[in-house]
Amino acid sequence: MQVLLSAAELASGIDRLADTVRREYGRRPLVVVGVLTGSIVLVADLIRRLECPIELSMVSASSYRGTATAPGRLELRLDSLPDLAGRDVLLVDDIFDTGRTLEALVAELRRRGAASIRSLVLVQKAGRAEVAMQPDFVGFDIPDVFVVGYGLDFDGAWRHLPHLAALDSADIAAARVGSAPRPDAHRPTPVDPAGDART
Ligand code: XMP
């Protein structure tokens, strides 16, 4: 497992994202819609940097099943959303991979009559998009690797890491045979940050 983005780098990225959101909305009230479960850490960090009135709602989207790293059928649950008619909505997700999750969610939010919908993601994977839409705000561009930490998990593991790490094949194999996360999971090998593609 290799660190792609340290906790300090993530914090700077969230600062930049919060500045962008502040510039976009000013003091206008905002409905922030987070996507469970991967966005919980990002949402918690982001909303505490914003000063406009915020109503927070969480929806659920799952496209990864069990120990798979390839997307499965997309399941959405939006039953806890407030009335969005005429309101400004900021949709927050952990990662833009194929983009199918965000595209489906934006379509659902649009159906509910939101005045505006913008999407924000922590990271966008290179060369994976399968949809025409792009997220409006992106924290970091990353290479096409499976990442965990800062809310993202692999089969339930590593969500709590304070940094973002790329899994290697040994990590994935260990998780697939049902092993607990390796004891060194909290001490990933740092990589030269110049080697990644973040913005
Ligand atoms: P799509 O392909 O719809 O995927 O953009 C979005 C959702 O897929 C999950 N995902 C990942 N989860 N590490 C993860 O822990 C990854 O590298 C990864 N890539 C996609 C995630 O739930 C995201 O919301």
Side-chain angles (χ1 to χ4, degrees):
M1 190 182 284
Q2 292 190 323
V3 175
L4 269 190
L5 295 164
S6 69
E9 289 171 316
L10 287 169
S12 305
I14 311 307
D15 284 343
R16 288 195 298 274
L17 285 169
D19 284 346
T20 310
V21 172
R22 269 198 297 270
R23 275 197 301 277
E24 178 79 16
Y25 295 99
R27 305 282 308 173
R28 271 154 51 209
L30 194 54
V31 182
V32 173
V33 176
V35 185
L36 292 169
T37 304
S39 78
I40 54 165
V41 183
L42 170 63
V43 166
D45 282 348
L46 180 71
I47 61 174
R48 285 179 293 169
R49 286 162 165 85
L50 302 177
E51 291 103 30
C52 61
I54 286 175
E55 179 170 355
L56 175 64
S57 181
M58 302 301 286
V59 296
S60 135
S62 46
S63 57
Y64 287 84
R65 288 275 160 252
T67 56
T69 53
R73 196 168 62 82
L74 183 60
E75 286 174 25
L76 303 180
R77 291 202 58 180
L78 297 97
D79 22 287
S80 62
L81 274 180
D83 180 10
L84 298 181
R87 304 179 72 184
D88 291 317
V89 176
L90 179 66
L91 178 63
V92 178
D93 203 359
D94 49 7
I95 190 166
F96 190 92
D97 187 341
T98 65
R100 296 201 173 280
T101 305
L102 228 53
E103 183 186 60
L105 284 170
V106 166
E108 277 298 325
L109 300 180
R110 192 164 288 133
R111 263 194 282 281
R112 288 160 195 250
S116 74
I117 304 164
R118 301 265 185 283
S119 55
L120 177 153
V121 293
L122 178 69
V123 292
Q124 178 168 23
K125 269 192 205 177
R128 293 269 305 166
E130 294 176 7
V131 297
M133 78 159 280
Q134 282 288 308
D136 296 290
F137 313 121
V138 176
F140 301 91
D141 290 310
I142 60 167
D144 181 9
V145 288
F146 198 86
V147 288
V148 295
Y150 198 73
L152 291 113
D153 74 309
F154 180 77
D155 198 22
W158 300 305
R159 211 186 277 287
H160 61 294
L161 299 179
H163 49 261
L164 197 76
L167 289 190
D168 58 35
S169 49
D171 298 313
I172 292 173
R176 283 219 164 103
V177 294
S179 321
R182 295 190 328 203
D184 62 354
H186 294 80
R187 295 190 300 278
T189 317
V191 290
D192 176 3
D196 70 45
R198 62 183 180 275
T199 53

